Amino acid sequence: MAAMLQPQIILLKEGTDTSQGKAQLVSNINACTAVADVVRTTLGPRGMDKLIHDDKGNVTISNDGATIMKLLDIFHPAAKILVDIAKSQDSEVGDGTTTVVLLAGEFLKEAKPFVEDGVHPQNLIRSYRTACYLAIEKIKELAVSIEGKSLEEKKSLLAKCAATTLSSKLIGGEKDFFASMVVDAVIAIGNDDRLNMIGIKKVPGGNMRDSFLVNGVAFKKTFSYAGFEQQPKKFLNPKILLLNIELELKSEKENAEIRLSDPSQYQSIVDAEWNIIYDKLDKCVKSGAKVVLSRLAIGDLATQYFADRDIFCAGRVAEEDLQRVAAATGGTVQTSVNNIIDEVLGTCEVFEEKQVGNERFNIFSGCPSGRTATIVLRGGADQFIEEAERSLHDAIMIVRRALKNSTVVAGGGAIDMEISRYLRQHARTIAGKSQLFINSYAKALEVIPRQLCDNAGFDATDVLNKLRQKHVLPSGEGASYGVDINTGGIADSFANFVWEPSVVKSNAINAATEAACLILSVDETVKNPKSESAQGEAAASAMAGRGRGRGRGMRRR
Ligand SMILES: Nc1ncnc2c1ncn2[C@@H]1O[C@H](COP(=O)(O)OP(=O)(O)O)[C@@H](O)[C@H]1O
């Protein structure tokens, strides 16, 4: 009888945890829908904020999908993929982070009944990819160009675009004020691709409306030696010297051991040290600079020396600020004071020190190499101002994208409804199961207007019905109708300037579809007993690796 028994094959080490098949797929889908549920309520102008705190007492209040996802420290390997797409949406286009997570969650939710019914995931994936391609083509078709308008017209259009983004944020009450500031900042840096050319400086306290834009560089006055608090300085067209050296009287006795045979020699060493520093200071003064900035310390002796000669100096300037001053004023950072020629000095129309709240700011404006701007942000508590900074960052990204790509689509769920209608119409022309899958994809897109309504307390079914009716009008005149966040009805989003750069929408749809397809293509998770702690990350990156076509990350043994 024993000979009849099949030999048992042991593939995996004892303690290895593996789950596979339909159950695994459904569990991954559930995890992703749970993640989408977390950010769901933050969507749109009436979205709520999340307060996240850690055991160190750090508190963050945010409405930004990427920020929330980052702080949540999600462990589930499949759900981590949603964190990744939110992050990449943030870095690629700067907005639409909640949208991308919501869409991915909804695509998966729609796929779930099919998976449970035994549909092969590859069939779903194929249809989803087709639908995504069609959706993106439709966005291109519907996008409206803002090219060819005068600067003033462009500015006002872009400001409206920025205001749409800001309206869903904590600083929504002052959206017009900040929107025009953001547009001016983006236009000031022109085609420069370096985002850090727009600095945001936060000064807690005061009123939001005290925030202002500097067409140039501004940073907080650095540490200054007591007793040298001079009157705020202001220079017109000063030469600016940028250094990366210490201007301090160095007592070498701390760094070196010097043996003297005769005590009288001691004085000569002290003299030499003084000579060295005076020589350096003299060279700085002779360069003709009126402003001296250094990345490293400028000591009290040097500060006094410069003050006596009516030269402004600041030591320990942050690397980022020094680089921005260099870029704006055309100067080059020097690592030695020998041979300072005119070409390495920067200049600007006005340098001044200005009091902002309790802080004194050094401001360089009218810079010849232009291309930099700084927003000095005021108002309220630290958490508030942190969130305000994130919101401005989103708006800056939006305006830059709109300016670069020059096309926008109607927001407020209008574009989503229109693509949804288009896909349903297209599905009717397809035979077979694919029709059902594309219909589900189309239905998933409706999550955006539905959630905008839910978050505002409107009757989503009613609003969606009205929107569907509008969007099927044969004349196409209803194509830009979306949720009217003020009345609870529907309105022409385009006419109301509720716009989104088309790239935000196409990127979000593309990334969400890819994430959903990736999750649908995983049918087994293997937990390696050796790497308990690294398990989550390993599995997530293995799955991500598969998605990028780098071969199978998790191989069945
Ligand atoms: N005034 C408005 N009326 C209707 N919808 C709006 C309005 N302002 C923004 N929206 C919509 O809110 C959504 C963006 O919400 P937001 O919370 O910023 O999420 P995300 O992080 O995805 O950008 C977009 O679909 C946008 O069209």
Side-chain angles (χ1 to χ4, degrees):
M1 281 298 284
M4 300 285 287
L5 281 176
Q6 289 285 326
Q8 197 189 356
I9 300 171
I10 299 170
L11 278 180
L12 301 174
K13 218 171 152 188
E14 197 178 331
T16 306
D17 189 9
T18 155
S19 49
Q20 45 182 269
K22 207 194 311 182
Q24 173 59 39
L25 201 45
V26 170
S27 131
N28 282 347
I29 293 177
N30 288 343
C32 292
T33 354
V35 171
D37 283 345
V38 174
V39 292
R40 193 173 283 281
T41 55
T42 68
L43 185 82
R46 299 278 186 268
M48 307 295 276
D49 297 319
K50 302 275 168 191
L51 189 152
I52 302 160
H53 63 104
D54 61 18
D55 47 9
K56 292 195 199 89
N58 299 324
V59 176
T60 309
I61 299 177
S62 186
N63 156 298
D64 179 55
T67 310
I68 298 170
M69 301 285 275
K70 233 182 286 168
L71 292 174
L72 282 184
D73 208 3
I74 287 173
F75 174 75
H76 192 283
K80 271 192 160 196
I81 291 177
L82 297 200
V83 182
D84 284 348
I85 54 167
K87 277 195 210 155
S88 74
Q89 175 83 8
D90 192 36
S91 58
E92 295 258 320
V93 282
D95 199 27
T97 48
T98 311
T99 306
V100 76
V101 176
L102 260 187
L103 283 177
E106 202 67 16
F107 290 148
L108 287 168
K109 199 168 162 187
E110 287 296 325
K112 190 173 151 188
F114 294 119
V115 173
E116 283 171 338
D117 278 353
V119 169
H120 195 288
Q122 287 303 343
N123 292 338
L124 272 164
I125 291 174
R126 210 171 314 121
S127 299
Y128 271 19
R129 291 219 164 106
T130 312
C132 173
Y133 171 78
L134 291 170
I136 288 171
E137 288 301 305
K138 191 71 189 164
I139 292 176
K140 284 189 197 149
E141 192 187 304
L142 291 172
V144 176
S145 172
I146 55 167
E147 248 344 279
K149 303 237 186 310
S150 72
L151 184 65
E152 277 315 304
E153 273 179 306
K154 233 185 211 174
K155 265 184 163 179
S156 101
L157 293 178
L158 289 172
K160 284 175 176 137
C161 208
T164 310
T165 311
L166 293 176
S167 66
S168 63
K169 314 283 186 191
L170 220 53
I171 55 174
E174 297 289 355
K175 63 179 183 203
D176 294 324
F177 174 73
F178 284 109
S180 64
M181 196 180 278
V182 163
V183 173
D184 287 341
V186 173
I187 290 187
I189 68 159
N191 290 330
D192 200 321
D193 263 349
R194 290 168 298 173
L195 192 59
N196 63 3
M197 285 297 123
I198 300 181
I200 299 182
K201 300 288 166 187
K202 296 164 282 182
V203 188
N207 191 307
M208 270 194 292
R209 281 220 167 231
D210 297 336
S211 309
F212 61 95
L213 174 78
V214 177
N215 258 325
V217 188
F219 57 85
K220 276 181 210 166
K221 188 176 175 60
T222 52
F223 166 80
S224 178
Y225 285 90
F228 291 111
E229 275 308 327
Q230 310 132 356
Q231 280 299 309
K233 285 207 184 313
K234 179 170 180 172
F235 298 129
L236 299 181
N237 301 310
K239 287 189 178 167
I240 301 161
L241 175 60
L242 307 167
L243 297 171
N244 195 3
I245 52 173
E246 240 169 14
L247 291 176
E248 213 163 10
L249 182 63
K250 271 281 197 66
S251 182
E252 292 301 340
K253 64 178 181 285
E254 282 156 22
N255 305 325
E257 188 181 297
I258 304 167
R259 291 181 188 227
L260 303 173
S261 49
D262 179 356
S264 66
Q265 289 171 343
Y266 183 70
Q267 188 57 42
S268 64
I269 290 170
V270 174
D271 288 348
E273 281 167 352
W274 282 74
N275 284 342
I276 291 172
I277 178 86
Y278 274 128
D279 180 48
K280 283 187 187 170
L281 295 176
D282 204 35
K283 283 178 174 154
C284 294
V285 175
K286 285 215 177 92
S287 74
K290 271 306 233 179
V291 176
V292 179
L293 303 181
S294 179
R295 170 94 187 76
L296 302 174
I298 296 187
D300 48 1
L301 174 81
T303 310
Q304 179 68 66
Y305 191 90
F306 288 133
D308 290 346
R309 287 153 185 82
D310 196 28
I311 293 175
F312 171 85
C313 72
R316 298 213 169 96
V317 177
E319 171 83 38
E320 190 196 62
D321 291 329
L322 200 67
Q323 291 304 340
R324 292 182 58 230
V325 175
T329 63
T332 333
V333 180
Q334 301 295 301
T335 47
S336 150
V337 286
N338 296 324
N339 307 323
I340 303 175
I341 48 170
D342 245 13
E343 283 71 37
V344 302
L345 298 176
T347 186
C348 65
E349 275 166 25
V350 185
F351 163 78
E352 61 184 325
E353 290 186 283
K354 214 171 169 181
Q355 197 69 25
V356 181
N358 292 331
E359 310 275 358
R360 199 187 273 182
F361 266 75
N362 301 329
I363 298 178
F364 303 77
S365 46
C367 302
S369 320
R371 314 267 166 259
T372 167
T374 311
I375 294 173
V376 179
L377 196 54
R378 302 294 323 273
D382 284 352
Q383 287 90 347
F384 177 86
I385 212 159
E386 297 278 340
E387 174 67 357
E389 183 190 10
R390 282 191 288 273
S391 311
L392 286 186
H393 169 79
D394 281 2
I396 287 171
M397 292 293 277
I398 285 291
V399 173
R400 274 164 56 88
R401 292 284 156 181
L403 198 60
K404 233 175 162 180
N405 296 278
S406 310
T407 57
V408 289
V409 289
I415 182 77
D416 312 86
M417 282 309 285
E418 185 58 16
I419 301 173
S420 176
R421 177 205 61 79
Y422 169 67
L423 288 178
R424 280 178 215 261
Q425 194 185 13
H426 175 84
R428 272 187 236 126
T429 65
I430 303 175
K433 284 222 183 89
S434 185
Q435 184 185 54
L436 298 177
F437 307 152
I438 291 189
N439 256 330
S440 298
Y441 187 96
K443 184 166 171 230
L445 287 170
E446 286 184 351
V447 68
I448 304 294
R450 189 177 317 116
Q451 201 59 48
L452 286 173
C453 290
D454 282 349
N455 291 354
F458 303 151
D459 180 348
T461 318
D462 182 42
V463 175
L464 254 69
N465 274 336
K466 283 188 190 150
L467 281 178
R468 282 192 204 109
Q469 279 170 12
K470 252 307 186 233
H471 281 261
V472 292
L473 287 181
S475 58
E477 68 192 61
S480 53
Y481 269 71
V483 181
D484 183 349
I485 224 70
N486 300 316
T487 64
I490 63 172
D492 188 336
S493 298
F494 208 86
N496 290 342
F497 297 104
V498 179
W499 294 355
E500 285 175 69
S502 42
V503 64
V504 170
K505 205 79 228 184
S506 41
N507 211 74
I509 290 187
N510 197 16
T513 312
E514 272 315 307
C517 292
L518 184 57
I519 286 160
L520 286 174
S521 67
V522 173
D523 71 341
E524 180 169 1
T525 308
V526 184
K527 184 175 169 193
N528 185 342
K530 257 195 257 164
S531 55
E532 243 346 270
S533 59
Q535 183 261 347
E537 276 156 39
S541 63
M543 281 205 259
R546 279 183 66 176
R548 283 181 229 115
R550 278 204 231 118
R552 291 179 71 86
M554 289 193 300
R555 215 166 260 150
R556 293 178 72 165
R557 289 195 252 168

